[in-house]
Amino acid sequence: MSLVFKPEETFRGDYTYRNSDAAILRFPFPFPEDRYMYSVNIEPHVRSGPTDAFCRPFDIDEHYIAECRDRALTLEQDPGRCQVLPHMMTAQWDTLELLMENMAADYPEQFSLTKEGDVFGSRWTWINRPLGIEQQFIFGDPDTLPCEPFEYITRQAQGDFAICDQREDNLYLDAGMITSQADWSLEFNVGMNFMEWHGPVPLAHQAGVFERALKYLLMLRLGQPVRRLNWTMSINPRLDTSPESYPAWGPDRASVTVENAGGKVHLRVELQTLWRLPRSNAILFPIRCFLISIEELARVPKWGKRLHRVLSSLPPELAEYKGLTRYLPATLAWLAPLDDGAELATGTGPDITELAPV
């Protein structure tokens, strides 16, 4: 896969982030039907899917360099966005190994990993060409890296990462690199168990969704990762929409009008994968965030029409939970002229291979 990066784009300030035609067509659109339905939507994380974004264990795209730079800015302002409890060191090395091996295998033009062995004490060499990094280190010795292994490798990956320790028939959020989350706080949630972490979500608890999800995840097997999609919306292409930074992005919700909704309102989709880690038996939870403005998304006719229908059927309590209430009417008004009522095929793929010229 040949990658052309857009290193100068920004996710704050002047917001120069944009998606190329190829990035639009590979977007992981989350709605297979015309009405909203809450579901866990877990499936095996295999090397295929409705768009190219699903086809590699850890997706890297044209926004890679810019996203890594934005993460570094967020960590500089708030180092607490990366936290790891002391007992999670083995899980840190598990994560570093998993990401390095897969990034080097899937993107050999960009990354390489050379090992002199697979066990703790082996000498490894990691090369990250897009970020200009070459690092020799001893696998298992954190003193041979510039920072702890989990922070080291997740600074070089797109998306957020959490590690859940499994004990007492539950999962505990005991580590995280969280700089592009959809309005939740690692500082508040670190150490919580699975049910506490998901406590604020409306409707799902009454339906027993999280009880079933927890039972499923406790049985997750090594070498059999799974995935699901989660979604919300945000104003402007901002990665850092944490509670800690709310003063910087919260007021933007009041700036949306019918006229500017197409460029300001962004669908924010998380491709969430879950991996059993080999030595620690913990579960790695990568949360890969994709952003697309609704005017970009509407260049795929099926997606523009379906988004209008899904948002029209959204339960009010869920719209409130996702923070959409203030600008949802303007968004629907912008989308409405695009929806001719035509029947749409089920599934999330774009059903086209080329976008019409703008």
Side-chain angles (χ1 to χ4, degrees), residues 3 19 30 77 91 109 113 115 141 149 157 199 202 205 254 264 274 326 329 331 346 352:
L3 286 170
N19 287 296
Q77 296 167 1
E109 295 179 1
L113 176 64
K115 300 181 179 181
D141 183 356
H205 287 280
K264 290 187 76 72
L274 295 119
R326 176 168 285 183
T331 304
T346 57
I352 56 174

Side-chain angles (χ1 to χ4, degrees), residues 58 95 98-99 150 161-163 273-275 277 282-286:
F58 298 96
T95 301
L98 182 66
L99 267 67
F150 177 71
F161 293 83
I163 308 179
T273 57
L274 295 119
W275 302 74
L277 297 175
I283 293 179
L284 178 67
F285 182 29

Side-chain angles (χ1 to χ4, degrees), residues 192-204:
M192 285 187 178
N193 68 37
F194 186 85
M195 302 306 292
E196 293 168 338
W197 181 12
H198 292 93
V201 183
L203 302 180

